[in-house]
């Protein structure tokens, strides 16, 4: 590829946001997810102390981590660690959902 082709491709990829805006967007997602984790852990501990089933909260956490790992694997397929995390996370998520449903029926 020539220099001009590379520059044109970069311009097309970054036409909606420049690098600074992309970094801010990525950081906002990270901070939003951190907030969700805090709230889910709050509910998780509350449910544990009130003897309610907690597997619904655990399925939310594992589903989130599974989706994150899957996205990373799709973007970086050489990193098999993300694929392994995706598979394990999917199994755990399904297991937690089944356990929760069986527990409340």
């Amino acid at each position: 590829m020539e220099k001009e082709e590379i520059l044109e491709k970069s311009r097309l990829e970054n036409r909606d946001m420049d690098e600074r805006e992309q970094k801010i967007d990525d950081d906002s997602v990270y901070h939003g997810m951190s907030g969700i984790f805090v709230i889910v852990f709050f509910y998780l501990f509350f449910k544990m102390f009130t003897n309610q089933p907690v597997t619904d909260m655990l399925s939310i956490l594992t589903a989130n981590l599974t989706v994150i790992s899957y996205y990373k694997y799709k973007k970086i397929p050489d990193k098999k660690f993300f694929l392994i995390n995706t598979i394990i996370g999917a199994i755990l998520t399904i297991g937690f959902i089944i356990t929760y449903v069986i527990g409340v029926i």
Side-chain angles (χ1 to χ4, degrees), residues 20 36 48 50 55 60-61 65 68 70 77 79 82 84 91 97 99 101-102 104:
R20 179 179 166 273
I36 289 171
M48 283 175 24
T50 58
T55 49
I60 292 170
L61 289 175
L65 296 173
I68 290 170
Y70 178 72
K79 303 284 183 173
F82 295 131
I84 293 167
I91 292 168
I97 291 170
T99 303
V101 170
I102 290 171
V104 295

Side-chain angles (χ1 to χ4, degrees), residues 65-78:
L65 296 173
T66 301
V67 171
I68 290 170
S69 292
Y70 178 72
Y71 180 80
K72 287 181 179 182
Y73 174 70
K74 291 303 281 183
K75 294 295 181 181
I76 314 169
D78 295 340

Side-chain angles (χ1 to χ4, degrees), residues 44-56:
L44 187 65
F45 287 120
F46 177 78
K47 289 178 131 205
M48 283 175 24
F49 288 119
T50 58
N51 293 323
Q52 297 179 25
V54 296
T55 49
D56 57 338

Side-chain angles (χ1 to χ4, degrees), residues 1-51:
M1 245 188 229
E2 292 183 25
K3 181 180 177 183
E4 290 303 318
E5 288 179 65
I6 295 170
L7 287 173
E8 184 61 31
K9 185 177 179 181
S10 176
R11 283 188 200 106
L12 288 174
E13 289 175 355
N14 297 318
R15 71 172 186 232
D16 294 329
M17 286 192 261
D18 62 18
E19 286 183 36
R20 179 179 166 273
E21 291 169 336
Q22 184 65 44
K23 173 78 169 116
I24 291 170
D25 188 58
D26 292 344
D27 288 348
S28 69
V29 171
Y30 172 76
H31 290 296
M33 293 309 301
S34 297
I36 289 171
F37 278 127
V38 168
I39 296 299
V40 167
F41 277 116
F42 171 77
Y43 283 124
L44 187 65
F45 287 120
F46 177 78
K47 289 178 131 205
M48 283 175 24
F49 288 119
T50 58
N51 293 323

Side-chain angles (χ1 to χ4, degrees), residues 92-103:
L92 286 172
T93 301
I94 292 167
F96 287 140
I97 291 170
I98 291 169
T99 303
Y100 178 73
V101 170
I102 290 171

